[in-house]
Amino acid sequence: AEAEALAAHFGSAGTGCDYQQIDDPASLRAALRARPRDALLYVFGLDSPTVSAALKILHGQDVDIPFIIVAEPADEKTAVRAMRAGAHDAVFRDRMERLLPAVEREVREARQRADHRAALAMAHDSDARFRGLASSLPGMVFHLQRGLDGDYRFLYASEGSHRLFGVKQHELL
């Protein structure tokens, strides 16, 4: 009934909601492996894994999805502890109008984190390819910058600096 009420809350806001109720740790692991999820809503007071166990499973699966707690106002201290342990937000049942904006915000931030991780991976791959290319050249590849004071500074120097000039890369830098 609680899951259906949460789904109805999303429906009343004009947002469709496909949900799956999870009651034990094994089911949570299986659900996280089965397909991508937009968010995980943890409802206090139901027979389910503890919040710390659910967070441990989520972090163990190495997925970055929002973990949002739905609780009674009396559970505020427990919700705060859960947020310190890694939950993204807590929404109390007396303020359910916060649920949809909290989910939307956390989903958006998770996508931004995923985009950032992908950009970092691409930059790392590009840097590795560049360094491989630069080290295989018979000469030296460098990036020299002239400062406002007129002094020059090496921003990058390939390993060829040692072969050509007998000066190690880190000494130039």
Side-chain angles (χ1 to χ4, degrees):
E2 185 77 31
E4 289 175 8
L6 286 171
H9 182 76
F10 282 91
S12 68
T15 304
C17 177
D18 177 25
Y19 70 93
Q20 179 180 358
Q21 184 172 333
I22 307 293
D23 296 322
D24 59 79
S27 298
L28 178 56
R29 282 186 200 91
L32 290 171
R33 281 192 304 265
R35 65 183 175 93
R37 307 289 171 159
D38 289 327
L40 184 79
L41 299 181
Y42 183 91
V43 181
F44 270 111
L46 298 180
D47 293 332
S48 58
T50 64
V51 68
S52 61
L55 280 165
K56 187 175 180 179
I57 291 167
L58 182 65
H59 294 144
Q61 295 289 319
D62 198 29
V63 292
D64 184 8
I65 61 171
F67 185 95
I68 299 172
I69 297 167
V70 177
E72 294 293 338
D75 295 323
E76 184 175 358
K77 287 182 182 180
T78 307
V80 168
R81 280 196 306 270
M83 289 183 64
R84 286 186 183 136
H88 293 92
D89 203 348
V91 176
F92 297 101
R93 286 192 177 97
D94 63 342
R95 293 174 271 183
M96 287 302 286
E97 68 277 358
R98 285 193 60 241
L99 182 61
L100 186 59
V103 170
E104 289 173 341
R105 180 190 67 247
E106 293 301 332
V107 167
R108 185 176 53 253
E109 288 180 9
R111 287 185 180 139
Q112 289 172 345
R113 288 190 301 269
D115 291 346
H116 182 71
R117 282 190 303 274
L120 286 176
M122 287 172 41
H124 181 7
D125 290 347
S126 177
D127 185 58
R129 281 192 304 275
F130 171 76
R131 289 182 186 279
L133 176 65
S135 69
S136 68
L137 293 173
M140 176 179 152
V141 175
F142 62 92
H143 183 185
L144 193 62
Q145 180 183 45
R146 183 175 183 184
L148 296 174
D149 58 1
D151 288 343
Y152 290 96
R153 187 174 134 223
F154 281 98
L155 298 178
Y156 175 80
S158 69
E159 296 170 8
S161 63
H162 186 66
R163 289 190 304 265
L164 289 175
F165 306 115
V167 178
K168 294 185 179 178
Q169 188 178 14
H170 70 275
E171 291 171 343
L172 282 175
L173 298 175

